[in-house]
Amino acid sequence: MSEIDRLPGFRRRFRVDAGAGWVRSAVEDDYHCMAVTLRHRAGVVEAVEPVMQRAPWTTCPGAVAQLRQTFTGVALEGFVSRGEKSANCTHLHDLALLAAAHACDDAPLVYDILASDPVGSRRQVELRRNGMRLLGWIEHEHRIVEPAELAGRRLDELRSWIDTLDPDLQEAARLLRWGAMLAHGRTIPMERQSDASRMPPNCYSFQPERARIAQRVGEIRDFSRGEAQLLDRPFDINSSRDGHATARLPA
């Protein structure tokens, strides 16, 4: 256990499991708990099965059908180029891409993201892969100060650096960057983040036709308190047609 484990803050976990003809990715953090199963044959996805156990907006469940439309019939290797992220729930979309990238893995993959709450404008963020620390950044006043190669950059300025990394590290860096950005939600008063019509149209619920009716809902869990474990609740992988979840993911 390192210093960041003892600090209050945001926690996020991804888990990917694969078997013959299927792959499943799941994510949980303070605000979301979701999973996507892809069933594939000869490298082409025949079925997309998303579930949402926790989501922050009343409109989010509609994104289940949108994800199926986006990826059903698409080759696994074509998921990245398929695009359409802003038309989808960005979290389900990321899960689908993560699953496609690891469809042939022979062992489970777990990413853990930790982001401490700011203390005096200083914040630590860290990513672990299968329990081992892979990436870590320290920010001060929203700019990275460590490591030195990234000093002075904001999170939204990291794309060009990420593109220079080896492919497996690119995946990890993208997940850490996005997780660190989501973690800022812990410092924003709920009343300031509960009007979808003020949000940029960068996901399914924030498209104009839905943003005007979307209402903030959903349980918020603080995993840094040590009272619960990420992805500890059941998912129903057999009733994902309606987006509901009631049975446990494999350990």
Side-chain angles (χ1 to χ4, degrees), residues 184-237:
H184 286 305
R186 289 176 57 96
T187 66
I188 302 172
M190 187 56 65
E191 60 270 18
R192 287 181 51 199
Q193 52 176 307
S194 296
D195 184 350
S197 67
R198 297 184 178 183
M199 305 296 186
N202 54 13
C203 76
Y204 179 86
S205 284
F206 296 164
Q207 294 304 310
E209 65 273 20
R210 285 179 285 274
R212 64 174 180 267
I213 61 171
Q215 297 180 22
R216 190 67 187 254
V217 294
E219 176 191 9
I220 298 176
R221 306 182 75 189
D222 187 344
F223 294 95
S224 66
R225 296 178 182 271
E227 299 168 357
Q229 294 294 316
L230 291 151
L231 294 175
D232 66 342
R233 292 186 177 183
F235 272 107
D236 187 354
I237 61 174

Side-chain angles (χ1 to χ4, degrees), residues 17-24 37-40 102-103 250:
D17 297 275
W22 65 273
V23 57
R24 180 177 307 115
T37 301
L38 306 178
R39 303 199 183 273
H40 57 89
H102 294 277

